Amino acid sequence: MEHDTAGDPITGLKWTRKTTEKIACELKRNGIFVCANTIGKLLKKMNFSLRVNHKKNEKNPKLDPKDRDKQFKYIFNMREWFIKNGYSVISVDGKKKELIGNFKNNGAAYCREPENVNVYDFPSDAEGRGTPYGIYDLIANTGTVFVGTSYDTPSFAVESIARWWDIAGSAIYPTKSSKALILADGGGSNSSRSRVWKYELQEKISNKYNMDITVCHYPPGCSKWNPIEHRLFSAISRNWEGVPLKSYETMINYIKTTKNSKGLRVDGHLVTKQYEKGKKISDKQMASLNIEKHEIFPNWNYTLKA
């Protein structure tokens, strides 16, 4: 189930592409005989749930369902290769921005009296806006979240990954620092189309640390399958649900105290640097990239070589 699981980072719900009958058949091939009904009961204990279809997505004529499935299989194979060889595999993404102040936070918390918060969520009444960018280490089961006070830009994303390597990654993988795999969504600050994202990965990580960086992007509309969503962000949302994030310190403290029964540990850092939107990378700078595009969906899969 590990590589066929998706989840909602807010509610913590999980779901899978496989039916209980298919799971039972796969277990049977591995010598484990169990019926589909028992599979359903076990999935419920593991926080999976039956879900209905929601009419929210418009059809993308440029994305064939077969291409999406092919990309999922490609990501699976890349993950397995990097993990098998002991290289770092991280899942990255930006979490929902949060207003900092006495504002309502969805969810409920045990207390004797409800906490009174502002009736209206006016940004002008806020101390600021927290912009979390997370890095989840699939092998170590650890998360690091950098909470920015500025914009969620590609520069902020890349510098967050670089800081993660300085703080945690280099200590966990001291003898396997020549390669790394990054799993990212297709849009946002780590967009597959962003020139700034690719250029700064080359300059601030690949060249600086003499490391080959392989990036695999999830297809459009598939961000919920990115492991960070249901392994890190959902745990953080549950930890602070029903609690007003009155200050940046409060937000960081709740991030740092996030844990679960699977052994997850999370670190949090405040980033006060101001990032500018609309940064441009010239054709000449793009031509300087030492990039190797993969044969399978080269726009989604590429390696930046040191």
Side-chain angles (χ1 to χ4, degrees), residues 49-76:
S49 67
L50 290 172
R51 298 177 64 84
V52 298
N53 296 329
H54 287 187
K55 292 184 177 180
K56 292 185 176 181
N57 301 328
E58 294 184 3
K59 184 177 180 181
N60 185 347
K62 297 181 181 180
L63 181 63
D64 191 308
K66 293 180 180 178
D67 292 342
R68 184 171 62 180
D69 188 57
K70 191 175 182 180
Q71 176 65 358
F72 271 107
K73 291 178 179 178
Y74 190 77
I75 290 175
F76 169 78

Side-chain angles (χ1 to χ4, degrees), residues 4 11 25 27 38 53 56 60 83 87-88 108 113 162 171 195 215 266 269 275-276:
D4 292 284
T11 64
C25 288
L27 289 174
T38 301
N53 296 329
K56 292 185 176 181
N60 185 347
I83 291 174
Y87 295 113
S88 60
E113 297 290 338
R195 287 188 167 199
V215 183
V266 186
H269 303 272
Y275 292 89
E276 294 182 8

Side-chain angles (χ1 to χ4, degrees), residues 228-241:
I228 193 172
E229 297 282 353
H230 54 278
R231 294 192 184 182
L232 175 61
F233 288 164
S234 61
I236 293 173
S237 295
R238 285 195 296 270
N239 192 40
W240 68 31
E241 63 181 0

Side-chain angles (χ1 to χ4, degrees), residues 137-243:
D137 186 329
L138 274 70
I139 299 176
N141 191 27
T142 57
T144 305
V145 180
F146 295 94
V147 179
T149 59
S150 182
Y151 299 109
D152 182 19
T153 67
S155 296
F156 173 52
V158 172
E159 289 186 11
S160 295
I161 297 171
R163 287 189 61 188
W164 167 81
W165 180 256
D166 285 333
I167 295 170
S170 58
I172 299 174
Y173 308 98
T175 60
K176 291 287 185 178
S177 59
S178 60
K179 298 180 186 296
L181 173 63
I182 297 177
L183 305 178
D185 292 347
S189 56
N190 40 231
S191 169
S192 59
R193 296 183 177 183
S194 172
R195 287 188 167 199
V196 180
W197 161 256
K198 294 174 183 176
Y199 182 78
E200 299 209 349
L201 276 178
Q202 177 80 68
E203 292 294 316
K204 297 182 179 180
I205 299 181
S206 184
N207 292 349
K208 180 179 179 180
Y209 300 105
N210 194 31
M211 184 188 304
D212 291 346
I213 303 295
T214 298
V215 183
C216 290
H217 292 276
Y218 284 88
C222 298
S223 62
K224 292 289 191 283
W225 300 94
N226 197 349
I228 193 172
E229 297 282 353
H230 54 278
R231 294 192 184 182
L232 175 61
F233 288 164
S234 61
I236 293 173
S237 295
R238 285 195 296 270
N239 192 40
W240 68 31
E241 63 181 0
V243 178

